[in-house]
Protein backbone atom coordinates (compact mmCIF):
# COMPACT_ATOMS: atom_id res chain seq x y z
CA UNK A 1 0.00 0.00 0.00
CA UNK A 2 2.82 2.37 0.89
CA UNK A 3 4.55 1.46 -2.38
CA UNK A 4 1.45 2.23 -4.46
CA UNK A 5 0.96 5.56 -2.64
CA UNK A 6 4.60 6.52 -3.26
CA UNK A 7 4.26 5.68 -6.92
CA UNK A 8 1.09 7.77 -7.15
CA UNK A 9 2.78 10.75 -5.51
CA UNK A 10 5.82 10.38 -7.78
CA UNK A 11 3.56 10.27 -10.85
CA UNK A 12 1.64 13.38 -9.77
CA UNK A 13 4.84 15.32 -9.11
CA UNK A 14 6.23 14.28 -12.50
CA UNK A 15 3.07 15.49 -14.25
CA UNK A 16 3.20 18.84 -12.43
CA UNK A 17 6.86 19.36 -13.35
CA UNK A 18 6.15 18.53 -16.98
CA UNK A 19 3.28 21.01 -17.05
CA UNK A 20 5.44 23.73 -15.54
CA UNK A 21 8.11 23.06 -18.14
CA UNK A 22 5.57 23.34 -20.95
CA UNK A 23 4.29 26.64 -19.53
CA UNK A 24 7.81 27.99 -19.23
CA UNK A 25 8.71 27.00 -22.80
CA UNK A 26 5.47 28.49 -24.12
CA UNK A 27 6.14 31.75 -22.27
CA UNK A 28 9.67 31.99 -23.67
CA UNK A 29 8.41 31.31 -27.20
CA UNK A 30 5.67 33.91 -26.86
CA UNK A 31 8.17 36.48 -25.63
CA UNK A 32 10.53 35.83 -28.54
CA UNK A 33 7.70 35.89 -31.08
CA UNK A 34 6.35 39.17 -29.69
CA UNK A 35 9.62 40.91 -30.47
CA UNK A 36 9.99 39.39 -33.91
CA UNK A 37 6.53 40.57 -34.99
CA UNK A 38 6.83 44.13 -33.71
CA UNK A 39 5.72 46.59 -36.37
CA UNK A 40 8.67 48.47 -37.87
CA UNK A 41 8.24 52.18 -37.26
CA UNK A 42 8.88 54.63 -40.09
CA UNK A 43 6.94 57.64 -38.86
CA UNK A 44 8.65 60.68 -37.38
CA UNK A 45 8.43 60.70 -33.60
CA UNK A 46 9.91 62.58 -30.69
CA UNK A 47 9.23 59.94 -28.04
CA UNK A 48 10.06 56.27 -28.44
CA UNK A 49 8.07 53.57 -26.66
CA UNK A 50 9.02 49.99 -25.88
CA UNK A 51 9.02 47.26 -28.51
CA UNK A 52 8.77 43.58 -27.78
CA UNK A 53 7.71 41.85 -24.61
CA UNK A 54 9.36 42.63 -21.34
CA UNK A 55 10.32 39.79 -19.06
CA UNK A 56 9.79 39.45 -15.34
CA UNK A 57 11.45 36.06 -15.03
CA UNK A 58 14.33 35.69 -12.63
CA UNK A 59 17.80 34.85 -13.84
CA UNK A 60 18.61 31.16 -13.97
CA UNK A 61 22.34 31.21 -13.37
CA UNK A 62 23.59 31.45 -9.79
CA UNK A 63 26.50 33.89 -9.59
CA UNK A 64 27.96 32.01 -6.66
CA UNK A 65 27.62 28.61 -8.34
CA UNK A 66 29.31 29.80 -11.53
CA UNK A 67 32.05 31.73 -9.74
CA UNK A 68 30.80 34.99 -11.22
CA UNK A 69 30.51 36.46 -7.73
CA UNK A 70 34.31 36.84 -7.81
CA UNK A 71 33.75 39.76 -10.19
CA UNK A 72 32.89 42.89 -8.24
CA UNK A 73 33.38 45.42 -11.04
CA UNK A 74 32.20 45.29 -14.65
CA UNK A 75 33.72 47.85 -17.04
CA UNK A 76 32.29 48.14 -20.56
CA UNK A 77 34.43 50.12 -23.00
CA UNK A 78 32.59 50.93 -26.22
CA UNK A 79 34.62 52.19 -29.16
CA UNK A 80 33.43 53.04 -32.65
CA UNK A 81 32.99 51.79 -36.18
CA UNK A 82 35.13 48.77 -36.88
CA UNK A 83 34.07 45.39 -38.22
CA UNK A 84 35.65 42.20 -36.95
CA UNK A 85 37.42 41.51 -40.23
CA UNK A 86 38.85 45.03 -40.35
CA UNK A 87 40.72 44.45 -37.05
CA UNK A 88 41.05 40.69 -36.56
CA UNK A 89 40.39 39.28 -40.03
CA UNK A 90 43.88 37.75 -40.11
CA UNK A 91 44.18 36.85 -36.42
CA UNK A 92 45.40 33.24 -36.06
CA UNK A 93 42.59 30.80 -35.33
CA UNK A 94 39.77 33.31 -35.64
CA UNK A 95 36.93 33.16 -38.15
CA UNK A 96 38.66 35.62 -40.42
CA UNK A 97 38.72 36.77 -44.02
CA UNK A 98 38.22 33.79 -46.34
CA UNK A 99 40.67 33.16 -49.15
CA UNK A 100 39.78 34.28 -52.65
CA UNK A 101 37.40 37.10 -51.72
CA UNK A 102 37.26 39.95 -54.24
CA UNK A 103 34.79 42.60 -55.39
CA UNK A 104 34.51 44.97 -58.33
CA UNK A 105 34.90 48.66 -57.58
CA UNK A 106 31.78 50.35 -59.02
CA UNK A 107 33.71 53.57 -59.65
CA UNK A 108 36.56 52.35 -61.86
CA UNK A 109 35.80 48.67 -62.49
CA UNK A 110 38.96 47.42 -60.82
CA UNK A 111 39.01 44.27 -58.71
CA UNK A 112 39.54 44.89 -55.02
CA UNK A 113 40.63 42.18 -52.61
CA UNK A 114 41.04 42.56 -48.85
CA UNK A 115 44.41 44.17 -48.24
CA UNK A 116 46.66 45.14 -45.35
CA UNK A 117 45.96 48.82 -44.70
CA UNK A 118 48.87 50.44 -42.86
CA UNK A 119 47.19 53.86 -42.68
CA UNK A 120 46.26 55.28 -39.31
CA UNK A 121 43.36 57.22 -40.82
CA UNK A 122 40.55 55.51 -42.74
CA UNK A 123 37.46 56.73 -44.57
CA UNK A 124 35.10 53.87 -43.90
CA UNK A 125 31.60 53.98 -45.32
CA UNK A 126 28.03 54.99 -44.54
CA UNK A 127 26.62 52.91 -41.72
CA UNK A 128 22.91 53.51 -41.37
CA UNK A 129 20.02 51.09 -41.57
CA UNK A 130 19.73 51.01 -45.36
CA UNK A 131 23.53 50.74 -45.74
CA UNK A 132 23.56 47.68 -43.50
CA UNK A 133 20.87 46.01 -45.60
CA UNK A 134 22.83 46.72 -48.79
CA UNK A 135 26.16 45.64 -47.28
CA UNK A 136 24.62 42.34 -46.15
CA UNK A 137 22.73 41.95 -49.47
CA UNK A 138 20.63 38.97 -48.40
CA UNK A 139 23.63 37.19 -46.93
CA UNK A 140 26.01 37.75 -49.86
CA UNK A 141 28.05 40.28 -47.80
CA UNK A 142 29.11 42.04 -51.00
CA UNK A 143 27.74 45.58 -50.82
CA UNK A 144 30.53 47.36 -48.95
CA UNK A 145 32.29 48.97 -51.92
CA UNK A 146 29.01 50.06 -53.51
CA UNK A 147 27.92 51.74 -50.31
CA UNK A 148 31.31 53.35 -49.72
CA UNK A 149 30.80 55.59 -52.75
CA UNK A 150 27.45 56.82 -51.42
CA UNK A 151 28.85 58.71 -48.45
CA UNK A 152 28.54 62.46 -48.14
CA UNK A 153 30.48 65.26 -46.55
CA UNK A 154 29.17 66.92 -43.40
CA UNK A 155 27.48 69.66 -45.50
CA UNK A 156 25.65 67.03 -47.57
CA UNK A 157 27.81 67.36 -50.67
CA UNK A 158 29.33 64.22 -52.22
CA UNK A 159 32.91 63.58 -51.27
CA UNK A 160 35.55 63.27 -53.98
CA UNK A 161 37.09 59.77 -54.01
CA UNK A 162 40.87 59.53 -54.07
CA UNK A 163 43.59 57.06 -53.26
CA UNK A 164 44.79 59.25 -50.41
CA UNK A 165 44.55 57.73 -46.93
CA UNK A 166 41.33 58.85 -45.30
CA UNK A 167 39.71 59.62 -48.67
CA UNK A 168 39.78 56.23 -50.38
CA UNK A 169 36.44 54.35 -50.52
CA UNK A 170 38.34 51.14 -51.21
CA UNK A 171 39.64 51.16 -47.62
CA UNK A 172 36.41 49.47 -46.51
CA UNK A 173 38.15 46.36 -47.83
CA UNK A 174 41.33 47.05 -45.86
CA UNK A 175 42.31 45.36 -42.63
CA UNK A 176 44.69 46.17 -39.80
CA UNK A 177 46.80 43.73 -37.79
CA UNK A 178 49.41 43.75 -35.03
CA UNK A 179 51.52 46.25 -36.96
CA UNK A 180 48.94 49.00 -36.42
CA UNK A 181 47.04 47.73 -33.36
CA UNK A 182 49.53 45.56 -31.42
CA UNK A 183 47.90 46.14 -28.05
CA UNK A 184 44.52 44.92 -29.26
CA UNK A 185 46.15 41.82 -30.73
CA UNK A 186 48.05 41.27 -27.49
CA UNK A 187 44.83 41.55 -25.48
CA UNK A 188 43.38 38.87 -27.76
CA UNK A 189 46.54 36.78 -27.34
CA UNK A 190 46.70 37.08 -23.55
CA UNK A 191 42.99 37.08 -22.77
CA UNK A 192 39.82 36.40 -24.80
CA UNK A 193 38.87 37.33 -28.35
CA UNK A 194 35.22 36.94 -29.36
CA UNK A 195 34.87 36.29 -33.08
CA UNK A 196 31.09 36.02 -33.15
CA UNK A 197 30.08 39.32 -31.54
CA UNK A 198 27.42 41.18 -33.50
CA UNK A 199 26.06 44.69 -33.31
CA UNK A 200 22.62 44.41 -31.76
CA UNK A 201 20.87 46.38 -34.49
CA UNK A 202 21.68 46.78 -38.17
CA UNK A 203 22.14 50.53 -37.98
CA UNK A 204 24.34 53.32 -36.64
CA UNK A 205 25.58 54.43 -33.23
CA UNK A 206 22.49 55.75 -31.46
CA UNK A 207 20.35 52.59 -31.83
CA UNK A 208 23.40 50.50 -30.93
CA UNK A 209 24.00 52.43 -27.72
CA UNK A 210 20.32 52.12 -26.81
CA UNK A 211 20.53 48.35 -27.17
CA UNK A 212 23.68 48.38 -25.06
CA UNK A 213 21.66 49.90 -22.21
CA UNK A 214 18.11 48.69 -22.78
CA UNK A 215 18.17 45.62 -25.06
CA UNK A 216 16.02 47.60 -27.48
CA UNK A 217 15.78 50.98 -29.18
CA UNK A 218 12.02 51.29 -29.06
CA UNK A 219 11.89 50.57 -32.79
CA UNK A 220 14.23 53.42 -33.68
CA UNK A 221 16.71 52.63 -36.44
CA UNK A 222 17.18 56.10 -37.91
CA UNK A 223 15.65 55.08 -41.24
CA UNK A 224 13.07 57.74 -42.21
CA UNK A 225 12.67 58.59 -38.53
CA UNK A 226 13.32 61.72 -36.55
CA UNK A 227 15.78 61.20 -33.73
CA UNK A 228 13.76 60.82 -30.52
CA UNK A 229 14.07 63.44 -27.82
CA UNK A 230 13.02 61.08 -25.03
CA UNK A 231 12.56 57.37 -24.37
CA UNK A 232 9.92 55.72 -22.19
CA UNK A 233 11.17 52.18 -21.84
CA UNK A 234 13.32 50.66 -19.07
CA UNK A 235 17.10 50.69 -19.27
CA UNK A 236 19.58 48.84 -17.10
CA UNK A 237 20.73 51.71 -14.88
CA UNK A 238 17.30 52.23 -13.32
CA UNK A 239 17.15 48.53 -12.49
CA UNK A 240 20.63 48.64 -10.98
CA UNK A 241 19.70 51.68 -8.91
CA UNK A 242 16.54 50.04 -7.60
CA UNK A 243 18.68 47.08 -6.59
CA UNK A 244 21.17 49.36 -4.76
CA UNK A 245 23.89 48.53 -7.28
CA UNK A 246 26.40 51.29 -7.90
CA UNK A 247 26.98 52.41 -11.51
CA UNK A 248 28.56 55.21 -13.50
CA UNK A 249 28.56 56.24 -17.12
CA UNK A 250 31.88 57.90 -17.92
CA UNK A 251 31.88 60.19 -20.96
CA UNK A 252 34.98 61.66 -22.56
CA UNK A 253 34.33 65.31 -23.29
CA UNK A 254 35.15 66.52 -26.78
CA UNK A 255 33.70 66.58 -30.27
CA UNK A 256 31.44 64.07 -31.99
CA UNK A 257 31.33 62.81 -35.60
CA UNK A 258 28.18 61.91 -37.57
CA UNK A 259 25.99 63.76 -35.12
CA UNK A 260 23.10 64.62 -37.40
CA UNK A 261 23.37 62.16 -40.26
CA UNK A 262 24.28 58.48 -40.24
CA UNK A 263 25.37 58.81 -43.88
CA UNK A 264 28.33 61.09 -43.19
CA UNK A 265 31.77 59.62 -43.77
CA UNK A 266 35.23 61.01 -43.24
CA UNK A 267 34.28 64.29 -41.63
CA UNK A 268 34.56 65.76 -38.16
CA UNK A 269 31.75 67.79 -36.63
CA UNK A 270 32.13 70.41 -33.95
CA UNK A 271 29.25 69.35 -31.71
CA UNK A 272 30.44 69.04 -28.15
CA UNK A 273 29.91 65.95 -26.05
CA UNK A 274 29.60 66.31 -22.30
CA UNK A 275 28.60 63.80 -19.61
CA UNK A 276 25.11 65.18 -18.98
CA UNK A 277 24.27 66.01 -22.60
CA UNK A 278 22.11 63.70 -24.72
CA UNK A 279 24.03 62.59 -27.79
CA UNK A 280 24.11 59.54 -30.03
CA UNK A 281 26.81 58.02 -27.79
CA UNK A 282 25.18 59.13 -24.54
CA UNK A 283 21.41 58.53 -24.67
CA UNK A 284 20.94 58.28 -20.88
CA UNK A 285 19.97 61.97 -20.42
CA UNK A 286 16.98 61.30 -22.68
CA UNK A 287 15.55 58.79 -20.19
CA UNK A 288 13.32 60.67 -17.74
CA UNK A 289 14.35 58.61 -14.71
CA UNK A 290 17.92 59.78 -15.27
CA UNK A 291 17.15 63.23 -16.61
CA UNK A 292 14.77 64.21 -13.79
CA UNK A 293 16.74 62.81 -10.86
CA UNK A 294 19.80 64.85 -9.86
CA UNK A 295 21.28 61.87 -8.00
CA UNK A 296 21.09 59.72 -11.11
CA UNK A 297 22.36 62.45 -13.41
CA UNK A 298 25.36 62.82 -11.11
CA UNK A 299 26.41 59.30 -12.11
CA UNK A 300 27.14 60.62 -15.61
CA UNK A 301 30.72 61.78 -15.18
CA UNK A 302 33.76 62.72 -17.19
CA UNK A 303 36.33 60.08 -18.06
CA UNK A 304 38.88 62.01 -16.01
CA UNK A 305 36.94 60.80 -12.97
CA UNK A 306 37.34 57.21 -14.19
CA UNK A 307 41.10 57.44 -13.76
CA UNK A 308 40.64 58.87 -10.27
CA UNK A 309 38.18 56.14 -9.30
CA UNK A 310 40.39 53.40 -10.72
CA UNK A 311 43.47 54.66 -8.85
CA UNK A 312 41.58 55.02 -5.58
CA UNK A 313 39.87 51.63 -5.76
CA UNK A 314 36.48 53.30 -6.14
CA UNK A 315 35.30 51.76 -9.38
CA UNK A 316 31.52 51.28 -9.32
CA UNK A 317 30.05 47.82 -9.63
CA UNK A 318 29.01 48.54 -13.22
CA UNK A 319 30.41 51.22 -15.51
CA UNK A 320 30.59 52.22 -19.14
CA UNK A 321 33.30 54.34 -20.74
CA UNK A 322 32.43 56.35 -23.85
CA UNK A 323 35.05 58.07 -26.04
CA UNK A 324 35.12 61.44 -27.73
CA UNK A 325 35.64 61.53 -31.48
CA UNK A 326 39.46 61.94 -31.55
CA UNK A 327 39.99 58.72 -29.56
CA UNK A 328 36.96 56.78 -30.79
CA UNK A 329 38.44 55.10 -33.89
CA UNK A 330 35.42 56.44 -35.77
CA UNK A 331 36.79 57.70 -39.11
CA UNK A 332 38.52 60.07 -39.50
CA UNK A 333 39.92 59.37 -36.01
CA UNK A 334 43.10 57.29 -36.02
CA UNK A 335 43.23 53.65 -35.01
CA UNK A 336 46.46 54.11 -33.04
CA UNK A 337 45.03 57.03 -31.08
CA UNK A 338 42.01 54.94 -30.13
CA UNK A 339 44.17 52.00 -29.14
CA UNK A 340 46.32 54.26 -26.95
CA UNK A 341 43.21 55.63 -25.22
CA UNK A 342 41.76 52.17 -24.55
CA UNK A 343 45.15 50.93 -23.33
CA UNK A 344 45.25 53.83 -20.88
CA UNK A 345 41.85 52.83 -19.50
CA UNK A 346 42.87 49.19 -19.13
CA UNK A 347 46.21 50.15 -17.54
CA UNK A 348 44.41 52.38 -15.04
CA UNK A 349 42.34 49.40 -13.89
CA UNK A 350 45.29 47.02 -13.83
CA UNK A 351 47.39 49.44 -11.79
CA UNK A 352 44.59 50.09 -9.31
CA UNK A 353 43.42 48.07 -6.30
CA UNK A 354 40.26 46.83 -8.07
CA UNK A 355 42.03 44.81 -10.77
CA UNK A 356 41.75 41.46 -8.98
CA UNK A 357 37.93 41.67 -8.95
CA UNK A 358 37.27 43.33 -12.32
CA UNK A 359 36.13 42.18 -15.75
CA UNK A 360 36.72 44.49 -18.73
CA UNK A 361 34.69 44.14 -21.91
CA UNK A 362 35.69 45.99 -25.09
CA UNK A 363 33.73 46.28 -28.31
CA UNK A 364 32.94 48.63 -31.21
CA UNK A 365 29.38 49.88 -31.58
CA UNK A 366 28.96 49.28 -35.32
CA UNK A 367 30.88 48.14 -38.38
CA UNK A 368 31.51 51.64 -39.76
CA UNK A 369 31.03 50.48 -43.34
CA UNK A 370 34.04 48.15 -43.20
CA UNK A 371 33.90 44.70 -44.78
CA UNK A 372 33.00 41.61 -42.82
CA UNK A 373 32.32 38.23 -44.38
CA UNK A 374 29.97 36.68 -41.80
CA UNK A 375 26.24 36.91 -42.43
CA UNK A 376 24.58 38.17 -39.21
CA UNK A 377 22.01 35.88 -37.59
CA UNK A 378 18.47 37.19 -38.09
CA UNK A 379 16.96 37.27 -34.58
CA UNK A 380 14.19 39.77 -35.38
CA UNK A 381 13.53 42.57 -37.87
CA UNK A 382 16.08 44.86 -36.21
CA UNK A 383 19.14 42.64 -36.00
CA UNK A 384 21.62 41.40 -35.59
CA UNK A 385 23.82 43.90 -37.31
CA UNK A 386 27.24 43.26 -38.82
CA UNK A 387 29.95 41.55 -36.77
CA UNK A 388 32.25 43.64 -34.57
CA UNK A 389 35.28 42.71 -32.44
CA UNK A 390 34.86 41.69 -28.81
CA UNK A 391 37.55 41.39 -26.12
CA UNK A 392 37.34 40.24 -22.50
CA UNK A 393 40.14 41.11 -20.07
CA UNK A 394 40.16 39.97 -16.44
CA UNK A 395 42.37 38.24 -13.87
CA UNK A 396 39.92 35.36 -14.32
CA UNK A 397 39.80 35.47 -18.12
CA UNK A 398 41.06 32.46 -20.03
CA UNK A 399 44.39 32.92 -21.77
CA UNK A 400 44.87 32.92 -25.52
CA UNK A 401 41.26 31.87 -26.00
CA UNK A 402 39.01 32.49 -28.99
CA UNK A 403 35.36 32.39 -27.98
CA UNK A 404 33.17 31.31 -30.89
CA UNK A 405 29.83 31.73 -29.09
CA UNK A 406 27.35 34.12 -30.65
CA UNK A 407 27.01 37.37 -28.73
CA UNK A 408 25.53 40.83 -29.06
CA UNK A 409 25.48 43.84 -26.74
CA UNK A 410 22.62 42.19 -24.85
CA UNK A 411 25.19 39.67 -23.65
CA UNK A 412 26.83 42.49 -21.69
CA UNK A 413 23.47 43.09 -20.05
CA UNK A 414 22.95 39.38 -19.46
CA UNK A 415 26.12 38.84 -17.47
CA UNK A 416 25.40 41.87 -15.28
CA UNK A 417 21.84 40.69 -14.72
CA UNK A 418 23.07 37.25 -13.70
CA UNK A 419 25.75 38.63 -11.42
CA UNK A 420 23.48 41.02 -9.55
CA UNK A 421 20.20 39.08 -9.84
CA UNK A 422 18.50 41.72 -11.99
CA UNK A 423 15.53 40.77 -14.13
CA UNK A 424 15.99 41.05 -17.91
CA UNK A 425 14.13 43.80 -19.76
CA UNK A 426 13.19 42.31 -23.15
CA UNK A 427 13.28 39.05 -25.03
CA UNK A 428 16.70 40.07 -26.32
CA UNK A 429 18.54 40.04 -22.99
CA UNK A 430 16.36 37.18 -21.73
CA UNK A 431 17.58 34.98 -24.58
CA UNK A 432 21.12 36.37 -24.87
CA UNK A 433 24.11 34.13 -24.28
CA UNK A 434 26.09 35.26 -21.27
CA UNK A 435 29.87 35.43 -21.50
CA UNK A 436 30.78 32.98 -18.78
CA UNK A 437 32.75 30.89 -21.26
CA UNK A 438 35.37 33.65 -21.31
CA UNK A 439 36.29 32.95 -17.68
CA UNK A 440 37.97 30.28 -15.60
CA UNK A 441 37.05 30.99 -12.02
CA UNK A 442 39.09 28.05 -10.77
CA UNK A 443 42.35 29.78 -11.67
CA UNK A 444 44.18 32.08 -9.31
CA UNK A 445 43.78 35.75 -10.26
CA UNK A 446 46.28 36.66 -12.95
CA UNK A 447 48.78 39.44 -12.50
CA UNK A 448 48.20 42.61 -14.53
CA UNK A 449 49.95 43.02 -17.87
CA UNK A 450 50.74 46.68 -18.56
CA UNK A 451 51.25 47.79 -22.16
CA UNK A 452 52.67 51.03 -23.46
CA UNK A 453 49.76 53.00 -24.91
CA UNK A 454 51.68 53.86 -28.08
CA UNK A 455 51.96 50.18 -28.95
CA UNK A 456 55.68 49.74 -28.38
CA UNK A 457 55.07 46.34 -26.76
CA UNK A 458 55.94 43.63 -29.28
CA UNK A 459 53.36 41.14 -30.47
CA UNK A 460 52.96 38.44 -29.35
CA UNK A 461 53.66 39.24 -25.72
CA UNK A 462 54.85 36.30 -23.59
CA UNK A 463 52.02 34.25 -22.14
CA UNK A 464 51.60 34.21 -18.38
CA UNK A 465 51.97 31.19 -16.15
CA UNK A 466 48.53 30.47 -14.82
CA UNK A 467 48.01 28.35 -11.72
CA UNK A 468 44.90 26.87 -10.12
Amino acid sequence: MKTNTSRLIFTLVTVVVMCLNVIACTTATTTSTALSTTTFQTSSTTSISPTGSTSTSTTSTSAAASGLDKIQHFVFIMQENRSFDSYFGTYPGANGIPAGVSFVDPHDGTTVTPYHDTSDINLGGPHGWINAQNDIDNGKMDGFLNQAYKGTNADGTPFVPSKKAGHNPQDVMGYHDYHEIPNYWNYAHLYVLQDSMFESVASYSLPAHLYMLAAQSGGYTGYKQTQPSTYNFPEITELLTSGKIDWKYYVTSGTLPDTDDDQVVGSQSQEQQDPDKYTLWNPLPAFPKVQNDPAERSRLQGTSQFYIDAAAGNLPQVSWVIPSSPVSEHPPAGVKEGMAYVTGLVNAIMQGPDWSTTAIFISWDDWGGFYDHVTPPQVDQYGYGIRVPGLVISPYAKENYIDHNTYSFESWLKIVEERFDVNPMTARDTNATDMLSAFDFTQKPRLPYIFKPNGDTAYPAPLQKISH
Side-chain angles (χ1 to χ4, degrees), residues 225-247:
Q225 296 167 297
T226 300
Q227 180 175 308
S229 59
T230 187
Y231 305 96
N232 62 358
F233 47 85
E235 45 80 20
I236 190 66
T237 70
E238 70 177 79
L239 302 182
L240 296 176
T241 301
S242 64
K244 310 298 185 191
I245 299 159
D246 189 30
W247 65 269

Side-chain angles (χ1 to χ4, degrees), residues 4-25:
N4 291 337
T5 302
S6 299
R7 288 176 178 172
L8 177 60
I9 293 172
F10 176 79
T11 302
L12 290 172
V13 170
T14 302
V15 170
V16 170
V17 170
M18 292 175 63
C19 290
L20 289 174
N21 286 337
V22 169
I23 293 170
C25 292

